[in-house]
Amino acid sequence: MEQKLKVLIVDDDEVDRMAVRRSLLKAGVEIELSEVSDGNSAIAAFPENSYDCVLLDYLLPDQDGLTLTRKIRSLGIKVPIVVLTAQGDEQIAVELMKAGATDYLSKSRLSPEILARVLRNAIRVYRAEMEVEKAHQQLQESNNLLTRKNKELERQQQQIELQNIKLVEGSRLKSQFLGTMSHELRTPMNAIIGFSQLLLRHKCGALSHQQKDLMERILNNSKKLLMLLNEILDFSKLEVGQLDVKPGIFDLSKVVNATVVEIRSLAEQKNLSLQVQMNLENPIVFNDSTRVKQILMNLLSNALKFTESGGIAIEVKELSENKVAIAVCDTGIGIAPTNIKSIFEAFWQVEQDTNRKYSGTGLGLPIVNALVQMMGGKITVKSQLNEGSIFLIELPRQVVPVSQNRERVLNGTDIYKKKVLESVGSSQFPSGRRMPRDEE
Ligand code: ADP
């Protein structure tokens, strides 16, 4: 059933109003009519009533239909307006539509059917327009909301970038501090080692048995400390992309044997066997002998540290003409499968609390891993809890020159520079002290 329409007729002519009323009745439109005879009364009627349509005579005593239409629209009154004109004037019609009228109708064409059709059309069109406007408003609101959210996201992103710069800067300072400190500490440590060795070689007179024993302890502990310092120094270099490999030709079997000699006394102290199996047809390689020794020393120290009974075996062999492999096997405590992937993370240790049984920095394996990668090799681990572990290193017989590898594998300084420059949008790189280089 059609809803009863509330219509306002604005016309000063009583006869014309009656004609409109009759036409609407005849057309069978369910209607609730209100009538006023001038423009000001029409405007006064709006605040208290809401109409479905206004039928507006163009010629009113106080103003014309165009002026009144403009006023109604300027007041923001939302209602369909059909203007009834005395004669068909196309120019007036155009102006009326521009001013916000919904339709117009010449009084000479007024018939029940036409009036009812124009009225319903005007209401339908107006409602459709309102729907469009509402949708438009909603879109506008969503748009505003999105813009606000976008701005908020941009602000958060800026904050994150700022935090990032601070973090990167903090990390750089930390690496710089670690590098400087370990470098500074190495000098007195080397002096202690040197002087202890002098004393042990009786260069300053013979030592009593007890003095010799004490001096050996000083020497061993100093060597341990030096190794820790070297690890920290290497790690700080690794972080800023300054860890390097300087290749040269050397005999791999000699380096392996020399490393084993250095560590043998420690194995003996723990009653552990230490065996070397050298299966190399051609022991000559092109690599950094100091770094290879460092890798081996690290793996052997770990093997000794984490083994209480049994022993350690080292096997060196050729995998192919261009590839050699070094395996370090122990019968120690082993590593749980869930921990294997973590052991190459910096500072990671199975025992993390301060009461831990095994000493160490948790930096050895990350450095070993980085070095092996810089050499173009790979490291794999097989381990079983309470059974032991095997660390296998595969290396090319001839490593790619360091500078190329460094670009490829580690370039922390450049990454840092890039991050800072991207964040601040500047071409100036903040000045800072260079990491001291290791003096071998
Ligand atoms: P750390 O200075 O603690 O030895 P590493 O980076 O060399 O640091 O090793 C990280 C951790 O990996 C060790 O703390 C230990 O938990 C585990 N791990 C390394 N090597 C062995 C091994 N041969 N046997 C058992 N656990 C090992």
Side-chain angles (χ1 to χ4, degrees), residues 10-38:
V10 188
D11 198 329
D12 58 322
D13 191 328
E14 170 62 42
V15 178
D16 281 357
R17 287 209 302 269
M18 196 189 300
V20 170
R21 220 182 298 136
R22 274 199 191 142
S23 294
L24 288 171
L25 273 175
K26 210 165 174 194
V29 183
E30 279 283 321
I31 215 151
E32 185 186 321
L33 272 180
S34 306
E35 297 177 21
V36 290
S37 56
D38 58 61

Side-chain angles (χ1 to χ4, degrees), residues 228 231 298-299 302-303 305-307 330 332-335 343 345 348-351 356 358-366 383 389 391:
L228 289 183
E231 266 182 6
N298 240 305
L299 297 182
N302 276 349
K305 186 162 61 175
F306 296 108
T307 306
D330 66 56
I333 60 171
I335 305 161
I343 60 175
E345 286 169 20
W348 194 94
Q349 296 173 308
V350 171
E351 278 189 317
R356 65 199 208 275
Y358 304 102
S359 63
T361 55
L363 294 176
L365 288 180
S383 190
S389 312
F391 284 77

Side-chain angles (χ1 to χ4, degrees), residues 18 141 251-253 306 313 346 403 410 421 434 440:
M18 196 189 300
E141 277 165 22
D251 185 327
L252 181 62
S253 60
F306 296 108
S403 55
L410 290 164
L421 293 182
R434 257 179 71 79
E440 292 295 341

